[in-house]
Amino acid sequence: ILPLVSVNQILLLLLVLTVCAILYNKVHQVPLALRNETVDLESPEEMEEEIPVVLCAAAGRMAAAVAAISSIYSNTEANVLFYIIGLKTTIPHIRKWIENSKLKEIKFKAVEFNPMVLKGKIRQDASRPELLQPLNFVRFYLPLLIQKHEKIIYLDDDVIVQGDIQELYDTKLAPGHAAAFSDDCDLPSTHEMVRSVGMQNTYMGFLDYRKQAIRDLGISPSTCSFNPGVIVANMTEWKHQRITKQLEKWMQRNVEENLYSSTLGGGVATPPMLIVFHGKHSSINPMWHIRHLGWSPDARYSEQFLQEAKLLHWNGRYKPWDYPSVHTDLWENWFIPDPSGKFKLTRPDS
């Protein structure tokens, strides 16, 4: 057994060594960033939040998606990841268009949409067959196509973005809301346009109120509608509320009961969303969705108003890559010719 004095001496020595070690480290401390060590820190670019933007690339109108992407990419410093949704037959073309143009620097993922998910859910309607194209319903299936993001932006292809997409992404969604849209009664400047082209901006223009199933919803026909061509969506809420299943239920009821049709104002993709999201959606800043540019080849907004707009939408029959159409110069600013030469603009002299 060691003498008591010896144990005390050992403990004292250990204490002195510990104090010396602490003092040495303090005196010789080197900033973390200067040490010759591998430090697992993300670069500022990697830490920057990714903004997922979903667009469709449909056959015959891929120039629309390309122009929309071009306008978004050119007007932001944000870390945008484009999800380009297409059919199996269209994805190779859009991929080649992007990779062989000035858009080759963008971050994008091409995602195939399987139209078989729509089998038995779409009522055939001859008045506007283009509205029955499978990609019109991509917005119903966002969580199935886009897996890893909490919040996303969905845009129709016939838009041009003139503002910073970060601003749209920062749209606040109220608790319990799965999506934000622009209400169709939101801007006085758009009311003149709506009246001049005879477009409806209430539920009456989209749903057939002669049908009992529609009246049973208890929604006044004069309720202001919204446009689902620009959506800021919360994927967690969307899945929690089973939004896709709800939308499919109304699609199937329409097949059986003809509750809405493209002879009414809004085609066939908007009405189910008006029903499912009634009273349960947040609002997008109205300047982030100036629409109706495609409803008449004659009706025009003032140039000053359009310059102030953050996003322009040519919803309607008259698209800016076709003829006739209005404000085509604003769209053509962002048009990128098809490197393969398959797509060409339709113009009076072409």
Side-chain angles (χ1 to χ4, degrees):
I1 299 170
L2 289 170
L4 184 60
V5 66
S6 177
V7 172
N8 286 340
Q9 285 173 335
I10 293 170
L11 290 173
L12 183 61
L13 180 63
L14 289 172
L15 180 62
V16 170
L17 288 172
T18 303
V19 171
C20 289
I22 291 168
L23 289 172
Y24 179 87
N25 279 338
K26 282 201 174 290
V27 171
H28 293 83
Q29 195 169 40
V30 180
L32 185 64
L34 300 180
R35 290 185 201 165
N36 187 21
E37 296 175 8
T38 303
V39 182
D40 187 21
L41 288 177
E42 291 180 299
S43 70
E45 187 178 14
E46 289 169 329
M47 292 171 69
E48 189 182 7
E49 187 173 14
E50 211 166 47
I51 298 180
V53 176
V54 181
L55 290 131
C56 294
R61 49 191 286 166
M62 279 183 232
V66 169
I69 291 167
S70 171
S71 69
I72 295 165
Y73 183 64
S74 300
N75 285 309
T76 189
E77 295 293 321
N79 181 21
V80 180
L81 172 60
F82 294 97
Y83 283 89
I84 302 170
I85 317 295
L87 302 179
K88 191 174 185 178
T89 52
T90 62
I91 284 177
H93 187 182
I94 192 74
R95 187 185 288 280
K96 190 175 291 186
W97 199 324
I98 289 169
E99 291 174 350
N100 290 282
S101 72
K102 65 182 181 182
L103 290 179
K104 60 179 176 288
E105 300 298 324
I106 71 167
K107 287 167 58 180
F108 79 98
K109 291 183 180 179
V111 180
E112 182 182 338
F113 181 66
N114 184 354
M116 289 306 293
V117 299
L118 300 171
K119 190 173 182 181
K121 300 184 184 79
I122 300 177
R123 185 183 184 88
Q124 294 307 306
D125 194 324
S127 60
R128 287 191 68 188
E130 74 275 13
L131 296 177
L132 304 178
Q133 295 300 316
L135 295 180
N136 273 342
F137 301 92
V138 159
R139 70 199 92 187
F140 289 16
Y141 296 94
L142 293 173
L144 303 180
L145 296 162
I146 315 301
Q147 302 289 341
K148 68 171 186 170
H149 302 281
E150 166 78 9
K151 188 178 187 184
I152 68 165
I153 295 171
Y154 166 88
L155 300 176
D156 277 355
D157 61 358
D158 50 355
V159 306
I160 289 297
V161 173
Q162 300 186 136
D164 185 343
I165 199 75
Q166 178 79 53
E167 198 179 309
L168 179 60
Y169 185 74
D170 290 341
T171 298
K172 294 283 188 288
L173 273 68
H177 284 179
F181 308 96
S182 283
D183 291 318
D184 281 330
C185 308
D186 55 10
L187 268 182
S189 305
T190 66
H191 295 172
E192 296 169 26
M193 176 72 81
V194 170
R195 281 195 295 271
S196 69
V197 300
M199 181 186 173
Q200 293 290 337
N201 63 350
T202 65
Y203 273 57
M204 174 70 88
F206 297 85
L207 305 175
D208 188 346
Y209 275 83
R210 295 170 300 178
K211 301 296 169 66
Q212 188 62 43
I214 297 300
R215 294 200 300 273
D216 287 346
L217 290 168
I219 303 172
S220 166
S222 62
T223 300
C224 186
S225 54
F226 58 79
N227 186 301
V230 177
I231 308 172
V232 180
N234 179 315
M235 294 291 92
T236 302
E237 278 296 335
W238 192 294
K239 288 182 275 195
H240 175 68
Q241 297 179 33
R242 299 168 63 83
I243 297 292
T244 297
K245 287 292 180 192
Q246 291 187 58
L247 293 166
E248 287 185 326
K249 182 191 85 170
W250 283 102
M251 291 169 76
Q252 284 165 330
R253 286 197 70 174
N254 183 58
V255 170
E256 297 157 10
E257 303 173 50
N258 195 19
L259 304 175
Y260 50 84
S261 75
S262 60
T263 54
L264 294 168
V268 291
T270 299
M273 301 199 84
L274 291 178
I275 295 170
V276 170
F277 285 102
H278 173 253
K280 292 187 291 187
H281 70 274
S282 298
S283 294
I284 289 171
N285 178 334
M287 295 306 287
W288 268 100
H289 195 176
I290 302 305
R291 47 211 176 276
H292 317 315
L293 275 73
W295 275 87
S296 165
D298 304 311
R300 299 180 68 87
Y301 284 117
S302 77
E303 291 301 324
Q304 182 183 349
F305 178 68
L306 292 180
Q307 291 301 326
E308 293 170 359
K310 307 281 188 165
L311 181 148
L312 305 173
H313 187 184
W314 279 263
N315 57 315
R317 295 173 187 263
Y318 301 97
K319 304 301 185 186
W321 53 90
D322 279 335
Y323 180 84
S325 55
V326 296
H327 302 297
T328 53
D329 55 321
L330 294 173
W331 184 86
E332 276 192 56
N333 284 340
W334 305 106
F335 170 65
I336 296 173
D338 181 0
S340 72
K342 292 177 187 173
F343 179 90
K344 290 185 171 53
L345 297 180
T346 305
R347 293 295 181 253
D349 53 354
S350 62

